[in-house]
Each structure stands twice: as structure tokens, then as C-alpha cells.
Amino acid sequence: MDTSSPAAFVNGGLLRMHVGRKVRTVIQVTRSDAGSVMGKSTDGCQLVVRGSPPAPLTSYVEVIGVAENENSIRAELWTNFGDSFDASNYDQLCQLANGELKHLFL
Amino acid sequence: MQANEFDGNAAFAGGGFMPFQATQTAPDRPSSSSKNSDARCLTPVTVKQLKDLSKVGESGISIDGVDVNNIVLVGIISKIDNAVSDCTFRVDDGTGWVECTKWIHEHVDSVEVDVLSVGMYVRVYGQFKSIQSRRSIHTFSIRPITDFNEIAHHFLECIYVHLYNTKLRLRMTSATDGMTAQPQVANSYSGNHIMGYSYQTNSTSQIRGISSMVLQYLRRPACLASEMGVSSDIVARELNVSVDKVRKTLDFLASEGVVYTTTDDHYKFTDA
């Protein structure tokens, strides 16, 4: 059992709190190129995810990686989350997991 | 008659479990120890919570002061070790990773295990094991997740259970101390919609608090003297409790034989 390398739940607004650290988030893909994917975070911000996404990509994709700056992530792990996903639910989770309940996660 | 909700036997059993809960429930005794064999609850946890365990012993573990038996985890498989009689998965839920060992006894076990691969999101049901300070999960079931909303849902459940066990339980148990407790607030905290992890139902503590107040009122000389007894409206008004609650309490007390009805909606203390 090991908890030395957790990934924080983030949305667009919370990404800046974890720059340089491992994060996880779900984005709705707006554009996908060879080396990067642009998407909308669960709170409506535009994020850029660098890396090689799986092909094909579904509308929603979860990305686990390192936050480069307040709107960009360098992805290590991609998971297709399908074409229907409750973004507001996930967004609420991000806020709770970074608030006073942080100790359950990080 | 609204008294159907309150099972006199259950209330008298001293524990108070919600008859409606389909699966596992656990009667709550505020000073209970882990030896209560009815505490077969299923607790959603994060690996971080398992790492931070306050008490790890022979009789089991406890999280947030509550005995934990079986746990649910949701995470990604990051490693698989396949042996003949068992299969060990390293499951990473974002807060940490833990080894989950599933023993392969029958064909159905190997079928379950064969569909799993590294990188897959899974839901693990199992029991926490700590052997020579090596912590792992003895896995009953490990299944792939197909609806990814389950992931957010699981973590929200972890948060909910944590808050329930730390704040709500404290508020309810502290409020039941003392017979002069004010009637409890929030009917919404009744155990009905809080599934497996509900412990005490608020309804039994409500009854204990209110029933003593009602009994005390009915034992007053004026009430004892009256042939007709006292109507539930008056009791409610005098005690500043809702008529609904008073009626339920009186029905319960009547079913126990402590009070009896004279005419419609009038009650008298039995031992006059």
C-alpha cells in the first residue's frame, strides 16, 4: 500500500493550486491534434492536454498527469469516459476534494 | 395510522435498526465494541483512508470511530500478478495504490479475472487485511466499470460516509443523552435513505426523549384525576411538540400498555 503519489481532483479553476504536481481531471474534447488535445473542463475553462491521446477519443476523457501551468497538463494516463458524463457532478466532487475533505484524498 | 414506522420490538431491543433496510445494517450502541457481530457494513473508502487507519487489530479495523468490515474501492489496475491459485491486482484510485488479492477457487473466479487488464477502471469489494504490517485487500469481487459516473459517485459516497460518521453520529448520540432532551430536529436524518452504513435511526432516540416527556405529563395529578384522560392536541400544545410526534408516541406507549385510550384520541396513564 502506498499513498506517496496521489493525483488531485481538479477542474479548470483548481488547476493553478497544483502546478507541478500530479492531477486528474475530466475534459470535454473540443479539438484533438497529434501531440495535444484541447478541451473544456468541468467548470467551463479551456484546458490544453499534451501527450498522445488514445484513438479514437470519446467526447469525455479523463486525464491523469502533471500540471504544467494553470491551464495545461502533461498527460501520463488517458481514459475514455464515453460520450455522456455528468460534468457538474464531477465538478462538485473536485470542489469538495480540495476543500475541508482534502485529507481523505491527499 | 402512522405508527407502522415504529416497531416497538425494535425500539425495545435497545439497538434501533431500521426495518426497511434491505441489506446490511448495524445496531448502534454508542459504547459498542467491535465484537458486535451484526456490524456487517459495506464502507466505501479511498486508499488514503485505509492508509490513515486509526485502529488495526485482530478484531478488525475502524475508520472515523466506526467498525469497518467490508470495503469498496474504485480505481485503475496498474499491475497484475497472475499465479495459479490467486491473482493480485494493484489498484490505484488516485489517492494511492493497494494490492488486492483474489483467490481463484472455481471457474467463475478465473472468468472474473480474465476480463481484467492493466489500465482498466475496476470496482473492488473486499476485506482489509494487515499481515505483518503489509496491508492488502482480500478481494471478494473485482469487476470492470462501464459507466464512468460511478467513479465520481464512489468518491462522493466516501465523503458522505465520512461526514455521516464524524458529524451526524456525534450529533445524534450526544442528543440522546439525558431524558430531558429536546425533541430531535430533522426528520430527514431517519435511517431510511442512508443505505448500508446507517447505524442509529433518529426515530428511536426521538421516541425515548419524547415518550418520557409525554409520560411525565400524563402522570401529573390533574391528568390522572381526569376520567376522560388528555387529548393528544393538549399534550402537544403543552409540551410544545408537534401533534404528529405526540400521536406517534402515544400510539407506541399504548401498544406497550403504558397508557390507554379512553375515548377517541384521549389518553390516560395506565398505573393511576
Side-chain angles (χ1 to χ4, degrees), chain A residues 1-3 6-7 24 62 80-81 85-86 89 100-101 103-106, chain B residues 46 48-49 93-98 121 148-149 151 155-156 159 162 167:
Chain A
M1 180 179 285
D2 184 80
T3 53
R24 70 194 292 184
E62 186 197 43
N80 275 327
F81 265 26
F85 181 73
D86 192 340
N89 201 28
E100 58 173 32
L101 296 152
H103 60 280
L104 298 179
F105 298 89
L106 301 173
Chain B
T46 65
K48 175 83 183 350
Q49 282 180 290
D93 73 347
T95 71
W97 59 258
V98 66
Y121 261 103
F148 296 97
N149 286 306
I151 298 165
F155 289 107
L156 288 166
I159 290 174
H162 169 77
K167 297 194 177 158

PDB file of all heavy atoms in Angstrom, chain A residues 1-3 6-7 24 62 80-81 85-86 89 100-101 103-106, chain B residues 46 48-49 93-98 121 148-149 151 155-156 159 162 167:
ATOM      1  N   MET A   1       0.853  -1.198   0.000  1.00  0.00           N
ATOM      2  CA  MET A   1       0.000   0.000   0.000  1.00  0.00           C
ATOM      3  C   MET A   1       0.881   1.238   0.000  1.00  0.00           C
ATOM      4  O   MET A   1       1.867   1.294   0.720  1.00  0.00           O
ATOM      5  CB  MET A   1      -0.877  -0.023   1.256  1.00  0.00           C
ATOM      6  CG  MET A   1      -1.788   1.174   1.333  1.00  0.00           C
ATOM      7  SD  MET A   1      -2.826   1.127   2.793  1.00  0.00           S
ATOM      8  CE  MET A   1      -4.013  -0.108   2.315  1.00  0.00           C
ATOM      9  N   ASP A   2       0.526   2.218  -0.824  1.00  0.00           N
ATOM     10  CA  ASP A   2       1.379   3.395  -0.951  1.00  0.00           C
ATOM     11  C   ASP A   2       0.526   4.603  -1.316  1.00  0.00           C
ATOM     12  O   ASP A   2      -0.305   4.526  -2.212  1.00  0.00           O
ATOM     13  CB  ASP A   2       2.407   3.123  -2.063  1.00  0.00           C
ATOM     14  CG  ASP A   2       3.393   4.248  -2.201  1.00  0.00           C
ATOM     15  OD1 ASP A   2       4.346   4.310  -1.389  1.00  0.00           O
ATOM     16  OD2 ASP A   2       3.221   5.080  -3.101  1.00  0.00           O
ATOM     17  N   THR A   3       0.733   5.689  -0.606  1.00  0.00           N
ATOM     18  CA  THR A   3      -0.030   6.895  -0.942  1.00  0.00           C
ATOM     19  C   THR A   3       0.905   8.066  -1.211  1.00  0.00           C
ATOM     20  O   THR A   3       0.557   9.219  -0.992  1.00  0.00           O
ATOM     21  CB  THR A   3      -0.987   7.272   0.206  1.00  0.00           C
ATOM     22  OG1 THR A   3      -0.239   7.347   1.420  1.00  0.00           O
ATOM     23  CG2 THR A   3      -2.104   6.285   0.361  1.00  0.00           C
ATOM     24  N   PRO A   6      -0.246  10.815  -4.929  1.00  0.00           N
ATOM     25  CA  PRO A   6      -1.668  10.937  -5.251  1.00  0.00           C
ATOM     26  C   PRO A   6      -1.895  11.933  -6.389  1.00  0.00           C
ATOM     27  O   PRO A   6      -1.053  12.789  -6.657  1.00  0.00           O
ATOM     28  CB  PRO A   6      -2.260  11.483  -3.952  1.00  0.00           C
ATOM     29  CG  PRO A   6      -1.146  12.259  -3.340  1.00  0.00           C
ATOM     30  CD  PRO A   6       0.129  11.585  -3.744  1.00  0.00           C
ATOM     31  N   ALA A   7      -3.039  11.806  -7.023  1.00  0.00           N
ATOM     32  CA  ALA A   7      -3.412  12.737  -8.082  1.00  0.00           C
ATOM     33  C   ALA A   7      -4.614  13.535  -7.585  1.00  0.00           C
ATOM     34  O   ALA A   7      -5.639  12.967  -7.237  1.00  0.00           O
ATOM     35  CB  ALA A   7      -3.778  11.979  -9.360  1.00  0.00           C
ATOM     36  N   ARG A  24      -5.671  14.989 -11.701  1.00  0.00           N
ATOM     37  CA  ARG A  24      -6.571  14.228 -12.561  1.00  0.00           C
ATOM     38  C   ARG A  24      -7.782  15.103 -12.837  1.00  0.00           C
ATOM     39  O   ARG A  24      -8.259  15.824 -11.950  1.00  0.00           O
ATOM     40  CB  ARG A  24      -6.982  12.913 -11.916  1.00  0.00           C
ATOM     41  CG  ARG A  24      -7.906  13.095 -10.727  1.00  0.00           C
ATOM     42  CD  ARG A  24      -8.046  11.863  -9.890  1.00  0.00           C
ATOM     43  NE  ARG A  24      -8.753  10.784 -10.560  1.00  0.00           N
ATOM     44  CZ  ARG A  24      -9.052   9.633  -9.973  1.00  0.00           C
ATOM     45  NH1 ARG A  24      -8.727   9.419  -8.720  1.00  0.00           N
ATOM     46  NH2 ARG A  24      -9.691   8.678 -10.635  1.00  0.00           N
ATOM     47  N   GLU A  62     -10.777  11.270 -19.333  1.00  0.00           N
ATOM     48  CA  GLU A  62     -10.102  11.599 -18.088  1.00  0.00           C
ATOM     49  C   GLU A  62      -8.607  11.606 -18.340  1.00  0.00           C
ATOM     50  O   GLU A  62      -8.075  10.728 -19.035  1.00  0.00           O
ATOM     51  CB  GLU A  62     -10.406  10.573 -16.992  1.00  0.00           C
ATOM     52  CG  GLU A  62      -9.815  11.023 -15.645  1.00  0.00           C
ATOM     53  CD  GLU A  62      -9.706   9.912 -14.622  1.00  0.00           C
ATOM     54  OE1 GLU A  62      -9.284   8.802 -14.984  1.00  0.00           O
ATOM     55  OE2 GLU A  62     -10.041  10.153 -13.449  1.00  0.00           O
ATOM     56  N   ASN A  80     -10.815   7.000 -21.791  1.00  0.00           N
ATOM     57  CA  ASN A  80     -12.050   7.447 -22.442  1.00  0.00           C
ATOM     58  C   ASN A  80     -13.222   7.271 -21.489  1.00  0.00           C
ATOM     59  O   ASN A  80     -13.441   6.177 -20.969  1.00  0.00           O
ATOM     60  CB  ASN A  80     -12.311   6.607 -23.702  1.00  0.00           C
ATOM     61  CG  ASN A  80     -11.579   7.161 -24.896  1.00  0.00           C
ATOM     62  OD1 ASN A  80     -11.388   8.370 -25.024  1.00  0.00           O
ATOM     63  ND2 ASN A  80     -11.145   6.275 -25.786  1.00  0.00           N
ATOM     64  N   PHE A  81     -13.964   8.352 -21.276  1.00  0.00           N
ATOM     65  CA  PHE A  81     -15.099   8.269 -20.366  1.00  0.00           C
ATOM     66  C   PHE A  81     -16.436   8.225 -21.100  1.00  0.00           C
ATOM     67  O   PHE A  81     -17.487   8.365 -20.476  1.00  0.00           O
ATOM     68  CB  PHE A  81     -15.080   9.465 -19.393  1.00  0.00           C
ATOM     69  CG  PHE A  81     -14.409   9.165 -18.083  1.00  0.00           C
ATOM     70  CD1 PHE A  81     -13.449   8.181 -17.974  1.00  0.00           C
ATOM     71  CD2 PHE A  81     -14.737   9.878 -16.940  1.00  0.00           C
ATOM     72  CE1 PHE A  81     -12.818   7.902 -16.771  1.00  0.00           C
ATOM     73  CE2 PHE A  81     -14.117   9.607 -15.720  1.00  0.00           C
ATOM     74  CZ  PHE A  81     -13.163   8.620 -15.634  1.00  0.00           C
ATOM     75  N   PHE A  85     -21.585  12.052 -19.762  1.00  0.00           N
ATOM     76  CA  PHE A  85     -20.912  12.088 -18.471  1.00  0.00           C
ATOM     77  C   PHE A  85     -21.479  13.260 -17.691  1.00  0.00           C
ATOM     78  O   PHE A  85     -21.787  14.305 -18.251  1.00  0.00           O
ATOM     79  CB  PHE A  85     -19.406  12.262 -18.692  1.00  0.00           C
ATOM     80  CG  PHE A  85     -18.598  12.292 -17.428  1.00  0.00           C
ATOM     81  CD1 PHE A  85     -18.388  11.123 -16.703  1.00  0.00           C
ATOM     82  CD2 PHE A  85     -18.060  13.476 -16.955  1.00  0.00           C
ATOM     83  CE1 PHE A  85     -17.652  11.141 -15.523  1.00  0.00           C
ATOM     84  CE2 PHE A  85     -17.320  13.513 -15.780  1.00  0.00           C
ATOM     85  CZ  PHE A  85     -17.119  12.337 -15.065  1.00  0.00           C
ATOM     86  N   ASP A  86     -21.630  13.078 -16.397  1.00  0.00           N
ATOM     87  CA  ASP A  86     -22.202  14.147 -15.574  1.00  0.00           C
ATOM     88  C   ASP A  86     -21.081  15.081 -15.112  1.00  0.00           C
ATOM     89  O   ASP A  86     -20.432  14.839 -14.097  1.00  0.00           O
ATOM     90  CB  ASP A  86     -22.929  13.528 -14.374  1.00  0.00           C
ATOM     91  CG  ASP A  86     -23.780  14.550 -13.634  1.00  0.00           C
ATOM     92  OD1 ASP A  86     -23.535  15.765 -13.784  1.00  0.00           O
ATOM     93  OD2 ASP A  86     -24.681  14.127 -12.891  1.00  0.00           O
ATOM     94  N   ASN A  89     -21.569  16.974 -11.651  1.00  0.00           N
ATOM     95  CA  ASN A  89     -21.335  16.082 -10.522  1.00  0.00           C
ATOM     96  C   ASN A  89     -19.835  16.008 -10.216  1.00  0.00           C
ATOM     97  O   ASN A  89     -19.390  16.152  -9.083  1.00  0.00           O
ATOM     98  CB  ASN A  89     -21.847  14.682 -10.902  1.00  0.00           C
ATOM     99  CG  ASN A  89     -22.122  13.830  -9.703  1.00  0.00           C
ATOM    100  OD1 ASN A  89     -22.437  14.333  -8.640  1.00  0.00           O
ATOM    101  ND2 ASN A  89     -21.961  12.529  -9.860  1.00  0.00           N
ATOM    102  N   GLU A 100     -12.380  21.098   2.714  1.00  0.00           N
ATOM    103  CA  GLU A 100     -12.028  20.586   4.038  1.00  0.00           C
ATOM    104  C   GLU A 100     -11.967  19.064   4.076  1.00  0.00           C
ATOM    105  O   GLU A 100     -11.659  18.479   5.095  1.00  0.00           O
ATOM    106  CB  GLU A 100     -13.042  21.093   5.060  1.00  0.00           C
ATOM    107  CG  GLU A 100     -14.463  20.705   4.743  1.00  0.00           C
ATOM    108  CD  GLU A 100     -15.408  21.085   5.880  1.00  0.00           C
ATOM    109  OE1 GLU A 100     -15.141  22.100   6.561  1.00  0.00           O
ATOM    110  OE2 GLU A 100     -16.373  20.349   6.092  1.00  0.00           O
ATOM    111  N   LEU A 101     -12.278  18.421   2.945  1.00  0.00           N
ATOM    112  CA  LEU A 101     -12.222  16.966   2.916  1.00  0.00           C
ATOM    113  C   LEU A 101     -10.987  16.478   2.192  1.00  0.00           C
ATOM    114  O   LEU A 101     -10.881  15.310   1.807  1.00  0.00           O
ATOM    115  CB  LEU A 101     -13.487  16.440   2.236  1.00  0.00           C
ATOM    116  CG  LEU A 101     -14.698  16.806   3.064  1.00  0.00           C
ATOM    117  CD1 LEU A 101     -15.934  16.935   2.206  1.00  0.00           C
ATOM    118  CD2 LEU A 101     -14.957  15.774   4.127  1.00  0.00           C
ATOM    119  N   HIS A 103      -8.237  15.677   3.279  1.00  0.00           N
ATOM    120  CA  HIS A 103      -7.473  14.654   3.986  1.00  0.00           C
ATOM    121  C   HIS A 103      -7.896  13.242   3.602  1.00  0.00           C
ATOM    122  O   HIS A 103      -7.197  12.280   3.894  1.00  0.00           O
ATOM    123  CB  HIS A 103      -7.589  14.830   5.504  1.00  0.00           C
ATOM    124  CG  HIS A 103      -8.994  14.733   5.994  1.00  0.00           C
ATOM    125  ND1 HIS A 103      -9.887  15.771   5.920  1.00  0.00           N
ATOM    126  CD2 HIS A 103      -9.678  13.707   6.547  1.00  0.00           C
ATOM    127  CE1 HIS A 103     -11.048  15.403   6.420  1.00  0.00           C
ATOM    128  NE2 HIS A 103     -10.966  14.153   6.812  1.00  0.00           N
ATOM    129  N   LEU A 104      -9.062  13.145   2.949  1.00  0.00           N
ATOM    130  CA  LEU A 104      -9.485  11.816   2.508  1.00  0.00           C
ATOM    131  C   LEU A 104      -8.767  11.421   1.213  1.00  0.00           C
ATOM    132  O   LEU A 104      -8.801  10.267   0.803  1.00  0.00           O
ATOM    133  CB  LEU A 104     -10.989  11.799   2.241  1.00  0.00           C
ATOM    134  CG  LEU A 104     -11.915  12.094   3.403  1.00  0.00           C
ATOM    135  CD1 LEU A 104     -13.360  12.048   2.932  1.00  0.00           C
ATOM    136  CD2 LEU A 104     -11.737  11.105   4.529  1.00  0.00           C
ATOM    137  N   PHE A 105      -8.163  12.438   0.556  1.00  0.00           N
ATOM    138  CA  PHE A 105      -7.608  12.202  -0.767  1.00  0.00           C
ATOM    139  C   PHE A 105      -6.089  12.389  -0.848  1.00  0.00           C
ATOM    140  O   PHE A 105      -5.392  11.593  -1.453  1.00  0.00           O
ATOM    141  CB  PHE A 105      -8.265  13.139  -1.782  1.00  0.00           C
ATOM    142  CG  PHE A 105      -9.748  12.930  -1.924  1.00  0.00           C
ATOM    143  CD1 PHE A 105     -10.651  13.606  -1.119  1.00  0.00           C
ATOM    144  CD2 PHE A 105     -10.245  12.031  -2.854  1.00  0.00           C
ATOM    145  CE1 PHE A 105     -12.017  13.394  -1.239  1.00  0.00           C
ATOM    146  CE2 PHE A 105     -11.615  11.814  -2.987  1.00  0.00           C
ATOM    147  CZ  PHE A 105     -12.496  12.506  -2.174  1.00  0.00           C
ATOM    148  N   LEU A 106      -5.608  13.471  -0.252  1.00  0.00           N
ATOM    149  CA  LEU A 106      -4.188  13.773  -0.492  1.00  0.00           C
ATOM    150  C   LEU A 106      -3.329  13.644   0.764  1.00  0.00           C
ATOM    151  O   LEU A 106      -3.807  13.880   1.857  1.00  0.00           O
ATOM    152  CB  LEU A 106      -4.060  15.202  -1.028  1.00  0.00           C
ATOM    153  CG  LEU A 106      -4.816  15.490  -2.329  1.00  0.00           C
ATOM    154  CD1 LEU A 106      -4.744  16.965  -2.669  1.00  0.00           C
ATOM    155  CD2 LEU A 106      -4.220  14.662  -3.468  1.00  0.00           C
TER     156      LEU A 106
ATOM    157  N   THR B  46     -11.337   5.370   0.371  1.00  0.00           N
ATOM    158  CA  THR B  46     -10.221   5.653  -0.527  1.00  0.00           C
ATOM    159  C   THR B  46      -8.995   4.967   0.065  1.00  0.00           C
ATOM    160  O   THR B  46      -8.958   4.663   1.257  1.00  0.00           O
ATOM    161  CB  THR B  46      -9.929   7.164  -0.609  1.00  0.00           C
ATOM    162  OG1 THR B  46      -9.480   7.622   0.668  1.00  0.00           O
ATOM    163  CG2 THR B  46     -11.145   7.952  -1.028  1.00  0.00           C
ATOM    164  N   LYS B  48      -6.277   6.254   0.680  1.00  0.00           N
ATOM    165  CA  LYS B  48      -5.721   7.161   1.686  1.00  0.00           C
ATOM    166  C   LYS B  48      -6.347   6.903   3.042  1.00  0.00           C
ATOM    167  O   LYS B  48      -5.697   6.932   4.067  1.00  0.00           O
ATOM    168  CB  LYS B  48      -5.946   8.608   1.249  1.00  0.00           C
ATOM    169  CG  LYS B  48      -5.509   9.657   2.265  1.00  0.00           C
ATOM    170  CD  LYS B  48      -4.039   9.929   2.144  1.00  0.00           C
ATOM    171  CE  LYS B  48      -3.409  10.909   3.130  1.00  0.00           C
ATOM    172  NZ  LYS B  48      -4.186  11.684   3.981  1.00  0.00           N
ATOM    173  N   GLN B  49      -7.673   6.659   3.067  1.00  0.00           N
ATOM    174  CA  GLN B  49      -8.349   6.377   4.330  1.00  0.00           C
ATOM    175  C   GLN B  49      -7.824   5.086   4.935  1.00  0.00           C
ATOM    176  O   GLN B  49      -7.675   4.960   6.149  1.00  0.00           O
ATOM    177  CB  GLN B  49      -9.860   6.259   4.124  1.00  0.00           C
ATOM    178  CG  GLN B  49     -10.565   7.581   3.992  1.00  0.00           C
ATOM    179  CD  GLN B  49     -12.048   7.396   3.780  1.00  0.00           C
ATOM    180  OE1 GLN B  49     -12.482   6.934   2.735  1.00  0.00           O
ATOM    181  NE2 GLN B  49     -12.835   7.766   4.763  1.00  0.00           N
ATOM    182  N   ASP B  93      -6.342   4.300  -6.909  1.00  0.00           N
ATOM    183  CA  ASP B  93      -7.577   5.088  -7.004  1.00  0.00           C
ATOM    184  C   ASP B  93      -7.308   6.591  -7.027  1.00  0.00           C
ATOM    185  O   ASP B  93      -8.210   7.394  -6.834  1.00  0.00           O
ATOM    186  CB  ASP B  93      -8.545   4.730  -5.856  1.00  0.00           C
ATOM    187  CG  ASP B  93      -8.099   5.275  -4.521  1.00  0.00           C
ATOM    188  OD1 ASP B  93      -6.939   5.725  -4.387  1.00  0.00           O
ATOM    189  OD2 ASP B  93      -8.920   5.256  -3.579  1.00  0.00           O
ATOM    190  N   GLY B  94      -6.044   6.948  -7.268  1.00  0.00           N
ATOM    191  CA  GLY B  94      -5.735   8.375  -7.329  1.00  0.00           C
ATOM    192  C   GLY B  94      -5.280   8.933  -5.997  1.00  0.00           C
ATOM    193  O   GLY B  94      -4.626   9.970  -5.945  1.00  0.00           O
ATOM    194  N   THR B  95      -5.631   8.256  -4.900  1.00  0.00           N
ATOM    195  CA  THR B  95      -5.141   8.691  -3.592  1.00  0.00           C
ATOM    196  C   THR B  95      -3.995   7.803  -3.149  1.00  0.00           C
ATOM    197  O   THR B  95      -3.265   8.140  -2.218  1.00  0.00           O
ATOM    198  CB  THR B  95      -6.249   8.623  -2.520  1.00  0.00           C
ATOM    199  OG1 THR B  95      -6.546   7.259  -2.215  1.00  0.00           O
ATOM    200  CG2 THR B  95      -7.512   9.312  -2.994  1.00  0.00           C
ATOM    201  N   GLY B  96      -3.828   6.684  -3.838  1.00  0.00           N
ATOM    202  CA  GLY B  96      -2.776   5.743  -3.507  1.00  0.00           C
ATOM    203  C   GLY B  96      -3.078   4.415  -4.164  1.00  0.00           C
ATOM    204  O   GLY B  96      -4.112   4.249  -4.824  1.00  0.00           O
ATOM    205  N   TRP B  97      -2.193   3.440  -4.010  1.00  0.00           N
ATOM    206  CA  TRP B  97      -2.494   2.125  -4.553  1.00  0.00           C
ATOM    207  C   TRP B  97      -2.444   1.083  -3.437  1.00  0.00           C
ATOM    208  O   TRP B  97      -1.788   1.255  -2.411  1.00  0.00           O
ATOM    209  CB  TRP B  97      -1.556   1.730  -5.695  1.00  0.00           C
ATOM    210  CG  TRP B  97      -0.082   1.681  -5.391  1.00  0.00           C
ATOM    211  CD1 TRP B  97       0.853   2.622  -5.722  1.00  0.00           C
ATOM    212  CD2 TRP B  97       0.645   0.631  -4.706  1.00  0.00           C
ATOM    213  NE1 TRP B  97       2.093   2.234  -5.307  1.00  0.00           N
ATOM    214  CE2 TRP B  97       2.014   1.026  -4.678  1.00  0.00           C
ATOM    215  CE3 TRP B  97       0.289  -0.592  -4.130  1.00  0.00           C
ATOM    216  CZ2 TRP B  97       2.999   0.238  -4.095  1.00  0.00           C
ATOM    217  CZ3 TRP B  97       1.270  -1.374  -3.546  1.00  0.00           C
ATOM    218  CH2 TRP B  97       2.618  -0.954  -3.537  1.00  0.00           C
ATOM    219  N   VAL B  98      -3.145  -0.004  -3.660  1.00  0.00           N
ATOM    220  CA  VAL B  98      -3.190  -1.098  -2.692  1.00  0.00           C
ATOM    221  C   VAL B  98      -3.277  -2.406  -3.464  1.00  0.00           C
ATOM    222  O   VAL B  98      -3.829  -2.458  -4.565  1.00  0.00           O
ATOM    223  CB  VAL B  98      -4.395  -0.949  -1.734  1.00  0.00           C
ATOM    224  CG1 VAL B  98      -5.715  -1.092  -2.472  1.00  0.00           C
ATOM    225  CG2 VAL B  98      -4.320  -1.955  -0.598  1.00  0.00           C
ATOM    226  N   TYR B 121     -10.524   0.566 -15.273  1.00  0.00           N
ATOM    227  CA  TYR B 121     -11.132   1.001 -14.028  1.00  0.00           C
ATOM    228  C   TYR B 121     -11.943  -0.157 -13.477  1.00  0.00           C
ATOM    229  O   TYR B 121     -12.711  -0.796 -14.198  1.00  0.00           O
ATOM    230  CB  TYR B 121     -12.072   2.195 -14.266  1.00  0.00           C
ATOM    231  CG  TYR B 121     -11.460   3.529 -13.947  1.00  0.00           C
ATOM    232  CD1 TYR B 121     -11.021   4.379 -14.955  1.00  0.00           C
ATOM    233  CD2 TYR B 121     -11.308   3.934 -12.628  1.00  0.00           C
ATOM    234  CE1 TYR B 121     -10.454   5.606 -14.651  1.00  0.00           C
ATOM    235  CE2 TYR B 121     -10.751   5.161 -12.319  1.00  0.00           C
ATOM    236  CZ  TYR B 121     -10.322   5.993 -13.336  1.00  0.00           C
ATOM    237  OH  TYR B 121      -9.767   7.210 -13.034  1.00  0.00           O
ATOM    238  N   PHE B 148     -18.728   5.558 -16.264  1.00  0.00           N
ATOM    239  CA  PHE B 148     -17.678   6.266 -15.544  1.00  0.00           C
ATOM    240  C   PHE B 148     -18.190   7.297 -14.549  1.00  0.00           C
ATOM    241  O   PHE B 148     -17.405   7.862 -13.789  1.00  0.00           O
ATOM    242  CB  PHE B 148     -16.687   6.864 -16.542  1.00  0.00           C
ATOM    243  CG  PHE B 148     -15.977   5.791 -17.314  1.00  0.00           C
ATOM    244  CD1 PHE B 148     -16.403   5.409 -18.563  1.00  0.00           C
ATOM    245  CD2 PHE B 148     -14.902   5.121 -16.738  1.00  0.00           C
ATOM    246  CE1 PHE B 148     -15.766   4.384 -19.249  1.00  0.00           C
ATOM    247  CE2 PHE B 148     -14.254   4.103 -17.416  1.00  0.00           C
ATOM    248  CZ  PHE B 148     -14.689   3.726 -18.673  1.00  0.00           C
ATOM    249  N   ASN B 149     -19.490   7.509 -14.536  1.00  0.00           N
ATOM    250  CA  ASN B 149     -20.042   8.345 -13.476  1.00  0.00           C
ATOM    251  C   ASN B 149     -19.884   7.670 -12.123  1.00  0.00           C
ATOM    252  O   ASN B 149     -19.911   8.314 -11.076  1.00  0.00           O
ATOM    253  CB  ASN B 149     -21.528   8.632 -13.716  1.00  0.00           C
ATOM    254  CG  ASN B 149     -21.744   9.633 -14.835  1.00  0.00           C
ATOM    255  OD1 ASN B 149     -21.198  10.724 -14.810  1.00  0.00           O
ATOM    256  ND2 ASN B 149     -22.531   9.246 -15.829  1.00  0.00           N
ATOM    257  N   ILE B 151     -17.313   6.563 -10.880  1.00  0.00           N
ATOM    258  CA  ILE B 151     -16.072   6.972 -10.223  1.00  0.00           C
ATOM    259  C   ILE B 151     -16.326   8.182  -9.336  1.00  0.00           C
ATOM    260  O   ILE B 151     -15.999   8.172  -8.146  1.00  0.00           O
ATOM    261  CB  ILE B 151     -14.991   7.276 -11.276  1.00  0.00           C
ATOM    262  CG1 ILE B 151     -14.699   6.012 -12.072  1.00  0.00           C
ATOM    263  CG2 ILE B 151     -13.724   7.794 -10.607  1.00  0.00           C
ATOM    264  CD1 ILE B 151     -13.937   6.262 -13.328  1.00  0.00           C
ATOM    265  N   PHE B 155     -16.437   8.377  -4.928  1.00  0.00           N
ATOM    266  CA  PHE B 155     -15.718   9.312  -4.055  1.00  0.00           C
ATOM    267  C   PHE B 155     -16.685  10.210  -3.293  1.00  0.00           C
ATOM    268  O   PHE B 155     -16.439  10.557  -2.141  1.00  0.00           O
ATOM    269  CB  PHE B 155     -14.714  10.135  -4.869  1.00  0.00           C
ATOM    270  CG  PHE B 155     -13.546   9.319  -5.323  1.00  0.00           C
ATOM    271  CD1 PHE B 155     -13.412   8.937  -6.645  1.00  0.00           C
ATOM    272  CD2 PHE B 155     -12.589   8.889  -4.411  1.00  0.00           C
ATOM    273  CE1 PHE B 155     -12.344   8.158  -7.055  1.00  0.00           C
ATOM    274  CE2 PHE B 155     -11.521   8.115  -4.809  1.00  0.00           C
ATOM    275  CZ  PHE B 155     -11.400   7.739  -6.135  1.00  0.00           C
ATOM    276  N   LEU B 156     -17.788  10.552  -3.915  1.00  0.00           N
ATOM    277  CA  LEU B 156     -18.796  11.337  -3.201  1.00  0.00           C
ATOM    278  C   LEU B 156     -19.385  10.517  -2.069  1.00  0.00           C
ATOM    279  O   LEU B 156     -19.648  11.017  -0.978  1.00  0.00           O
ATOM    280  CB  LEU B 156     -19.900  11.799  -4.169  1.00  0.00           C
ATOM    281  CG  LEU B 156     -19.451  12.894  -5.141  1.00  0.00           C
ATOM    282  CD1 LEU B 156     -20.447  13.071  -6.271  1.00  0.00           C
ATOM    283  CD2 LEU B 156     -19.252  14.210  -4.405  1.00  0.00           C
ATOM    284  N   ILE B 159     -17.026  10.564   0.827  1.00  0.00           N
ATOM    285  CA  ILE B 159     -17.155  11.830   1.543  1.00  0.00           C
ATOM    286  C   ILE B 159     -18.400  11.803   2.410  1.00  0.00           C
ATOM    287  O   ILE B 159     -18.370  12.173   3.589  1.00  0.00           O
ATOM    288  CB  ILE B 159     -17.239  13.010   0.540  1.00  0.00           C
ATOM    289  CG1 ILE B 159     -15.893  13.218  -0.141  1.00  0.00           C
ATOM    290  CG2 ILE B 159     -17.689  14.279   1.234  1.00  0.00           C
ATOM    291  CD1 ILE B 159     -15.912  14.252  -1.246  1.00  0.00           C
ATOM    292  N   HIS B 162     -17.992   9.529   5.432  1.00  0.00           N
ATOM    293  CA  HIS B 162     -17.074  10.149   6.383  1.00  0.00           C
ATOM    294  C   HIS B 162     -17.783  11.231   7.191  1.00  0.00           C
ATOM    295  O   HIS B 162     -17.684  11.287   8.415  1.00  0.00           O
ATOM    296  CB  HIS B 162     -15.883  10.738   5.634  1.00  0.00           C
ATOM    297  CG  HIS B 162     -15.027  11.617   6.484  1.00  0.00           C
ATOM    298  ND1 HIS B 162     -14.122  11.132   7.413  1.00  0.00           N
ATOM    299  CD2 HIS B 162     -14.958  12.961   6.593  1.00  0.00           C
ATOM    300  CE1 HIS B 162     -13.527  12.135   8.022  1.00  0.00           C
ATOM    301  NE2 HIS B 162     -14.018  13.265   7.547  1.00  0.00           N
ATOM    302  N   LYS B 167     -19.764  13.644  11.847  1.00  0.00           N
ATOM    303  CA  LYS B 167     -20.603  14.726  12.356  1.00  0.00           C
ATOM    304  C   LYS B 167     -21.998  14.287  12.768  1.00  0.00           C
ATOM    305  O   LYS B 167     -22.427  14.508  13.883  1.00  0.00           O
ATOM    306  CB  LYS B 167     -20.707  15.823  11.306  1.00  0.00           C
ATOM    307  CG  LYS B 167     -19.349  16.418  11.030  1.00  0.00           C
ATOM    308  CD  LYS B 167     -19.428  17.707  10.267  1.00  0.00           C
ATOM    309  CE  LYS B 167     -18.016  18.252  10.100  1.00  0.00           C
ATOM    310  NZ  LYS B 167     -17.905  19.174   8.997  1.00  0.00           N
TER     311      LYS B 167
END
